[in-house]
Amino acid sequence: MRVAVAGSSGLIGSALVPELRAAGHEVVRLVRRPPAAADERAWDPPAGRIAGGALDGVEAVVNLCGAGVGDRRWSHARKQVLLDSRIEPTEVLAAAVAERGIPALVNASAVGWYGDTGEREADETAPSGKGFLSGLCRQWEAAADRAREAGARVVQPRIGQVLAPRGGVLGRLRPLFRLGLGGRLGSGRQYVPWIHIADTVSAIRFLLEHGSISGPVNVSAPAPVTNAELTRALGHALSRPAPWMVPRFVLRVAAGELADEILLSQRVVPKVLRDNGFTFRYSTIEAALADLECRR
């Protein structure tokens, strides 16, 4: 299959491209600069432009574009960046898929869709929640409507917190734990929908290759853990104690509105993946962290 990937230089995209190629797929990478390699094609989402011929022969498009949600404090301007970096590319690619008759669009979304689920498990049938991230995800998913209305198979992987050897959530937590400053956030009872990077890219490839799957798909491990459980597991993997607790008010002072989203409980479960026979390599947080620390 010839697959075009947007967002190929990010945490997930940089792991997905070699995964697809190892499985025998041909990958075209859409880049926002002058192409510097034979597999690169230029595009400009804000201008609504894709280079002529960039999608020739493409049978599926994967869109992973989006500025990092937790990279910095949320100002009004930053929240607009988070929206624009997702909505604009999705609208451009959905229009291209519709106009060119491309059969499939796999367009990333996030578990932020669900808001705070508390103790309740949330599969793909659960309603959208409240808050900025829930609203962002609703707009993000709706931006793919043009492709769906044109008859394309649209899949929207709602991705959890990706654990990778470098970068991502572990990239932010690991230095604190190594200094002995690790600890749970708030009560620690809130659920964290995590997933190993290897399972993330395998799941996206699975969705590309299984033409019967469409709509939202939770891309998160089958056993979500509480923040306290994640804290203990990471402390054990790093051989560092993690005795501290960061109070809600301290998080609010440090991170502003973002803190409210960090403390949400999201007990998300991957029903569609499990029902369709996907096998997770890392189904427990202990196995995932042990593998990731070995890879560093």
Side-chain angles (χ1 to χ4, degrees), residues 47-130:
R49 291 198 300 265
I50 301 177
L55 299 179
D56 287 354
V58 165
E59 299 164 81
V61 174
V62 177
N63 178 23
L64 300 169
C65 293
V69 168
D71 290 355
R72 64 188 71 174
R73 191 184 180 97
W74 290 355
S75 62
H76 177 76
R78 180 61 181 174
K79 288 164 76 173
Q80 193 61 51
V81 167
L82 296 178
L83 284 163
D84 292 344
S85 66
R86 289 163 172 77
I87 307 306
E88 286 180 347
T90 299
E91 290 177 339
V92 172
L93 290 172
V97 165
E99 292 164 2
R100 293 166 171 80
I102 296 172
L105 170 63
V106 177
N107 197 83
S109 182
V111 295
W113 164 275
Y114 300 105
D116 195 325
T117 72
E119 294 284 328
R120 173 179 54 85
E121 287 191 347
D123 65 21
E124 290 83 356
T125 64
S128 184
K130 300 177 181 178

Side-chain angles (χ1 to χ4, degrees), residues 176-191:
L176 294 174
F177 276 70
R178 290 196 182 282
L179 291 171
L181 300 176
R184 71 182 191 273
L185 303 180
S187 70
R189 292 193 296 269
Q190 65 274 23
Y191 278 89

Side-chain angles (χ1 to χ4, degrees), residues 7 12 16 32 35 40 55 79 84 115 124 149 169 171 196 209 247 274 278 283 289:
I12 298 174
L16 177 64
R32 306 188 194 203
E40 293 182 346
L55 299 179
K79 288 164 76 173
D84 292 344
E124 290 83 356
E149 291 163 358
V169 63
H196 191 293
E209 295 173 347
R274 289 189 300 191
F278 179 77
S283 58
L289 291 174

Side-chain angles (χ1 to χ4, degrees), residues 19 194-207 209-210 213 217-223 270-284:
E19 169 89 5
W194 63 276
I195 185 166
H196 191 293
I197 183 65
D199 283 331
T200 307
V201 297
S202 292
I204 294 172
R205 177 166 68 86
F206 184 87
L207 297 175
E209 295 173 347
H210 286 70
I213 303 174
V217 179
N218 291 339
V219 177
S220 59
K271 185 177 187 299
V272 171
L273 284 175
R274 289 189 300 191
D275 287 352
N276 283 276
F278 179 77
T279 301
F280 289 86
R281 290 174 59 189
Y282 303 98
S283 58
T284 69

